Amino acid sequence: MLLEGKTAVITGCLQGIGRAALEIFAENGADVFACCQREDERFTRDIANLSVTCGVSITPVYFDLLDEEAVKNGARFIQKSKKSVDILVNVAGANFDALFHMVTMEQLKRTFTINFFSQVLFTQYITRLMLKHGSGSVINISSIAALDGNPGQLSYASSKAAIIAATKTMSEELGPKGIRVNALAPGVIKTEMTDAMPDDVRSRMISRSELKRIGLPDEVAGVILYLASDLSKYVTGQVIRVDGGIG
């Protein structure tokens, strides 16, 4: 098991890429703080079963990325556990699509609060735990929209581009302290966010890929696992596309 004896913090665990990362981490022996926006009875049952099946500890942590105090309280809860955190995976995000001239300041502020400001704040708290033992891996989830642009996604693409800039800056600052920081740029992945895209937009993006199909959350989670494990212990400051060959 690639993560045996490790403790990870993963955001966005209710569904999609975050849920897939939670499952593959547990299967590979990691204890997980599973961060979600809200409580969910089915999720609570699922993680209890997963914990027993995999023989690991899975602790739910609930907070809304739009609420700065809630983000701080979630991080403090993890700090108070006194567990040594080895991995942070920032998956949670939101998308409010609109063409450039229709984008409002409220949409911009809301998108950046969820996708950038709160994630930087949360990462500040969690990496302080990593500094105590001088090692760790941070994986940020960006998007190919941040690298290529995408019509109707100015707010989303810009916030995800900010995450890439933050990743590179953090990797330079934290690398000498033993903490690696990398980002993934997924393409068209089968999630609720992608399901909400217009059919023609989704089809056009898939047609641009070399594999000619939509990606699955567990295919992204496999790359997250690689970056979290010692298999990538000399990899930092990178942005890895997981897009089926788009571009």
Side-chain angles (χ1 to χ4, degrees), residues 197-208:
M197 294 172 65
D199 290 342
D200 61 324
V201 174
R202 184 170 54 250
S203 297
R204 184 176 70 248
M205 292 182 70
I206 293 172
S207 70
R208 288 170 50 207

Side-chain angles (χ1 to χ4, degrees), residues 15-18 20 91 141-144 156 184-197 202 205-206 213-221 223 241-246:
Q15 60 194 15
I17 294 170
V91 181
I141 304 303
S142 180
S143 169
I144 60 166
Y156 180 73
L184 294 189
V188 188
I189 308 300
K190 178 71 175 169
T191 65
E192 287 192 359
M193 187 181 296
T194 304
D195 288 344
M197 294 172 65
R202 184 170 54 250
M205 292 182 70
I206 293 172
R213 66 172 177 82
I214 197 167
L216 300 176
D218 66 312
E219 293 174 316
V220 181
V223 185
R241 297 179 70 114
V242 189
D243 62 3
I246 291 177

